[in-house]
Structures are given as structure tokens and as C-alpha cells.
């Protein structure tokens, strides 16, 4: 889940495409952008927007991708299935001793709970 700041003169759509390319090497097309939201309202006025980006892994520009990381950035790029994402992340944390971004873990848990609720599990 790439993340970053919106540069001057950019909107959230442009920033999402740029950050995806910089942090993963992949190119994609934005299909949706959320309204601005706050991760810590009352503590800070820092806000974010979520963007959904479709990536065609078979497209020529997405073959042999290479991130374009800035100095001080340490990002591991990997593809994981949405089904069981929270389990995959827990395994990576355990085996590779990775620290997980709270937004990614929150997304994975929310995805799992939505699937559980849709089949009557709680």
C-alpha cells in the first residue's frame, strides 16, 4: 500500500499514480478516491485520502518492475492475495520480522471481518 504526500500542483489521483510508481515500480489507473479523512482527529490536522488503483500485472510497463525509492525509504514490494491477507501479513511479520503499517493491517482485518459477516460468522 504505497503512501505519500501530495506534491504542490498535484491532486490525490496524480499523487497515487506517482507514489505507486515510485514505491513499487508498478503503473496503474486510479478508479476511485475517497474524501479526505483524519487518522488522529483532535490530535493533529494531518489528513489522508484513499485511492483505488487498478494494476494490470500483464501490461508491458509492469514487467520487471523496480521501485524508485528516495533516500531513507525501505520498502519491500510483494503481491499478496486479498483472501486471507491478514494471515499472510501475520506470517510475514513473524518470519521476516517486519513491522506492519497500521493502515495496511486495519484494511486486512476489515476485509476479513467483512467476509466473515457476509457468511454469518462473527
Amino acid at each position: 500500500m504505497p503512501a505519500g504526500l501530495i506534491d504542490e500542483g498535484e491532486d490525490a489521483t496524480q499523487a497515487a499514480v506517482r507514489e505507486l510508481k515510485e514505491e513499487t515500480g508498478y503503473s496503474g489507473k486510479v478508479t476511485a478516491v475517497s474524501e479526505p479523512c483524519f487518522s488522529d482527529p483532535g490530535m493533529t490536522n494531518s489528513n489522508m485520502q484513499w485511492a483505488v488503483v487498478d494494476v494490470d500485472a500483464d501490461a508491458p510497463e509492469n514487467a520487471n518492475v523496480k521501485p524508485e525509492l528516495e533516500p531513507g525509504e525501505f520498502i519491500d514490494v510483494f503481491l499478496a492475495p486479498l483472501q486471507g491477507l491478514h494471515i499472510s501479513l501475520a506470517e510475514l511479520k513473524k518470519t521476516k520480522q517486519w513491522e506492519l503499517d497500521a493502515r495496511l493491517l486495519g484494511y486486512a482485518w476489515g476485509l476479513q471481518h467483512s467476509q466473515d459477516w457476509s457468511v454469518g460468522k462473527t
Side-chain angles (χ1 to χ4, degrees), residues 91-99:
E91 187 63 25
L92 288 169
K93 181 173 177 53
K94 181 179 176 183
T95 60
K96 295 192 176 220
Q97 300 177 343
W98 284 356
E99 295 302 327

Side-chain angles (χ1 to χ4, degrees), residues 68-80:
E68 303 165 5
L69 300 177
E70 296 177 10
E73 285 186 313
F74 303 98
I75 300 171
D76 289 302
V77 179
F78 63 96
L79 299 177

Side-chain angles (χ1 to χ4, degrees), residues 11-76:
D11 61 22
T13 298
Q14 294 165 321
V17 170
R18 178 183 51 76
E19 288 291 345
L20 176 71
K21 182 72 172 169
E22 287 176 4
E23 295 185 0
T24 70
Y26 285 103
S27 295
K29 179 182 177 185
V30 174
T31 59
V33 176
S34 75
E35 295 296 320
C37 57
F38 299 83
S39 60
D40 293 309
M43 300 293 289
T44 176
N45 65 356
S46 178
N47 63 67
M48 67 183 90
Q49 289 179 269
W50 290 84
V52 176
V53 184
D54 284 344
V55 175
D56 180 355
D58 295 323
E61 64 269 20
N62 289 327
N64 303 313
V65 295
K66 184 174 187 282
E68 303 165 5
L69 300 177
E70 296 177 10
E73 285 186 313
F74 303 98
I75 300 171
D76 289 302

Side-chain angles (χ1 to χ4, degrees), residues 76-91:
D76 289 302
V77 179
F78 63 96
L79 299 177
L82 289 177
Q83 185 72 28
L85 180 60
H86 72 294
I87 295 168
S88 297
L89 292 173
E91 187 63 25

